[in-house]
Amino acid sequence: MSLLSVHDLRVEFATPDGIVKAVDGISFDVERGETLAIVGESGSGKSVSNLAYMGLLPKGKTKITGSVTLETDNGPVELIGMEPEDIRKIRGKDIAMIFQDPMSALHPFYSIGDQLVEAHQAHNKVEKSVSQERAIELLTLVGVADAKERLRAYPHQFSGGMRQRVMIAMALMNNPSVLIADEPTTALDVTVQAQILKLIADLQKKFKMAVILITHDLGVVAGAADRVNVMYAGKLVESASVDELYAKPKMPYTVGLLGSVPRMDRPHEDRLTAIPGQPPSLMKLSGGCAFAPRCTRKSEVPGNKCETTSPELIQISTGHYSRCHLYEGKTK
Amino acid sequence: MSGLLAYVSRRLAVTFLILLAVSFAVYLIFAFLPFDPATLTCGKNCNDPGIIEANRIRLGYDKPFYEQYWVFIVGLFAGRNYGEGAAAIHCAAPSFGYSFQQHACVTDLIGEALPVTLALAIGALVLWLILGIGLGVLSARFRGRVLDTASTIFVLIGTSLPTFLTGLMLIIFVVIKWHLLPFPAGGYSSPFEDFPGWLNTMILPWITLAFAYAALYTRFVRSQVIETSTEDYIRTARAKGLSEGLILGKHTLRAALAPIATMAGLDFAGLMGGAILTEAVFNLPGLGRLSLGAVLDYDLPIIVATTLLAAAIVVIMNLVLDLVYAFIDPRVRV
Ligand SMILES: Nc1ncnc2c1ncn2[C@@H]1O[C@H](COP(=O)(O)OP(=O)(O)OP(=O)(O)O)[C@@H](O)[C@H]1O
Ligand SMILES: [Mg+2]
């Protein structure tokens, strides 16, 4: 049984303009110690799909269906539809998260010691001093020098990279089995990005956790992930091991994304324009493939099928899935 | 800590300079108003040129403007004599002048009125902060639910009812109809002499003032809390598995505190100029009544002094607020 198993997860937001289908029936498994990368353009539902089963989406106007099961010390639990108080006990303990902007993700008014200790205290009935020892241990582990003194420092006294290290330390306070890293390096300098990714990989081995690495940068994924899920307009459009995906990308969107990996000879900003056009509005999705309006190969599929029929996610080779009419009937 | 001390003394020095400038400006304004201050000293219906000229010399209004100002400043630090010989009137330092209409040193008049207004403002502030922050936080927490709707109605009533009406209604119902409180004796007694009597005098004025402000603060706190709860660090706190109570009471409220403190400080300073209507309804001899009477009677020395006092309180309150910010936000501490 997988550590984390997501089945047919759907998230809809009721907005004044209509229903937004932010996540439209995605399924995937995450194994112990594995790194799953989730890539896709901005707005494709990467964050929402993971916030949903963490119970972190605004309540009231949000509808979440499907099933997400997590293996815990007390056996498997279903996360969707869980009581707020029960899911709270899972958050930060079994599943921890780190976010994109480490400046705004830390509370500016509390010392980092305070914020680390409180993460431990939330799930452990122990003396403050015990949590403090744990905080020092983890700060040291993530590479913060003089951890004991630095506990009293405030977030603004750290650099961006150091803040993200603090966030990682905070996420690991309770030894989680899953770490969700939502674009952990996007807000950082290129040189620091590599250090943070390496740190996450090292800690992953040490703590034997699964990592879900969310990014819109396939360049980040290459060295870091085992599997890659590509998302487009709330759907999974391709899923494969990282080597397979780089060697034989199938879905034209994935091919486009790979073409937009930043390279030294191209300015950084250019990469967003690599796939011409915009992702569709999630409110009025047509019956066809959501990528069809931007797809350069749709004419290869006979009968205008891309515009009229939504393709299914099909297995192309062992462990390689793609949602594209081009490959229908060509499975091995 | 020594850094804080240096900071405070530097700020106090600046505050002193600002007050000096304000006092000069106030003096300047009143010096060039189209009134003859000497004529005003003997009341509205007085036109005995003998008294007027005698007062002009006694009060120094015959001297040039800058000399008057200098004497005023010296009087602040050394006290001041009006007239000479046996008929001289002495006002001890800090002397803000002498009111011929009330036959009293202005400092003494303010000394009597200030505690009243202070007691009124502090009591009301405490009440409305408890009520406003409490209700604001709760209605943000239970947004769109019954409690939120109820507090919206409270906000609507509180912001639209004028204070004198609230005050009158309180007197009519609480005191006259329901006999919940004895009829206020009028006037003001120090809490150090008669504590229950003092409470009895102040409780309705406090409620009257606090009612209006609590409504404003409920709305403000609610919107601040809702705005803060969309911050990334609140999401982090939730992702850590903290309880909703801890998130609200610690993380959200702390971040919303700075704007609330700003508003409270400025409102408090404003009230210290005198809550004229509330003081009038409850017959409290506070600064509001003193200034109102002075304005109606053209009692210049009192007007100058209360204007200065109001300015001083605003300036000092700004200093206090800066210290509060430093306490709330570590980024402000140097
Ligand atoms: N509370 C909400 N109400 C309505 N729509 C929302 C809400 N939260 C997210 N969405 C919409 O859901 C879609 C998916 O958002 P999501 O944050 O998951 O994108 P993403 O893939 O993480 O993008 P990015 O790379 O920018 O982080 C977006 O179109 C977004 O506008
Ligand atoms: Mg996102």
Side-chain angles (χ1 to χ4, degrees), chain A residues 88 91 104-105 114 118 123, chain B residues 232 236 238 240-241 250-251:
Chain A
R88 179 188 75 72
R91 283 199 299 258
S104 57
D114 187 316
E118 124 194 298
H123 301 286
Chain B
D232 282 357
T236 305
R238 208 161 267 134
K240 283 198 279 193
K250 183 177 171 185
H251 293 244

Side-chain angles (χ1 to χ4, degrees), chain A residues 301-319:
Chain A
V301 178
N304 207 16
K305 201 175 173 194
C306 293
E307 305 278 5
T308 54
T309 318
S310 180
E312 295 295 318
L313 194 65
I314 49 174
Q315 181 160 343
I316 288 168
S317 54
T318 318

